[in-house]
Amino acid sequence: MPLKTLTVIEIPNGENSDFDHAAFDPKTRRVFIAHTGRDCIEVIDHDAQKHIATLPGFPGVAGAVADDGEVLTTNRGAASVTWLDAATFKAKAMFKSGHGPMAQRSSSAGTWGSSPASAMSTRALHCIFTT
């Protein structure tokens, strides 16, 4: 069955820009999108179907993973991983990772989450740092 467009949510400064991975946090019902071309994270309120925030300061952001009110971003331009609170958008910590950090979300059993909304419903967060 082909996908059907339900709505379009405009992202500020999104035209002619580059995006990477996004993640849905089931606790806050927000979508966190790596806006690589602008070095920021874009936040969408899933239920309201609107853009609610642009979070600056994520150089070369390559992805986001989220669960239970927590978000991790991988920042290739700063060789770091940032840990955010999904409700307040405040950084809890920043970890240096070496060149080319990437993040992966999996369950403690080593399988991907099964939530139909996001595939992010399990509890364990595992970071993989690559060179």
Side-chain angles (χ1 to χ4, degrees):
M1 174 176 12
L3 297 176
K4 178 182 171 186
T5 301
L6 299 176
T7 190
V8 174
I9 300 170
E10 296 293 329
I11 294 178
N13 299 311
E15 191 171 339
N16 299 318
S17 192
D18 295 319
F19 295 87
D20 211 318
H21 295 86
F24 175 78
D25 174 45
K27 186 172 183 177
T28 61
R29 303 205 39 86
R30 293 175 173 165
V31 180
F32 294 83
I33 305 166
H35 192 163
T36 309
R38 304 282 189 255
D39 296 329
C40 63
I41 298 291
E42 304 291 356
V43 186
I44 303 293
D45 181 311
H46 174 274
D47 297 334
Q49 301 269 315
K50 68 179 187 175
H51 179 270
I52 59 170
T54 296
L55 311 178
F58 297 86
V61 64
V65 293
D67 192 35
D68 202 28
E70 311 288 341
V71 180
L72 292 177
T73 70
T74 56
N75 313 302
R76 288 181 290 203
S80 67
V81 173
T82 306
W83 176 19
L84 299 172
D85 182 294
T88 66
F89 308 138
K90 293 194 186 306
K92 292 184 167 191
M94 189 275 297
F95 307 97
K96 286 304 212 179
S97 63
H99 179 72
M102 299 299 287
Q104 170 182 309
R105 177 74 171 84
S106 66
S107 73
S108 57
T111 58
W112 290 99
S114 60
S115 167
S118 67
M120 296 285 182
S121 64
T122 56
R123 295 286 181 239
L125 285 173
H126 301 279
C127 288
I128 298 173
F129 303 105
T130 60
T131 57

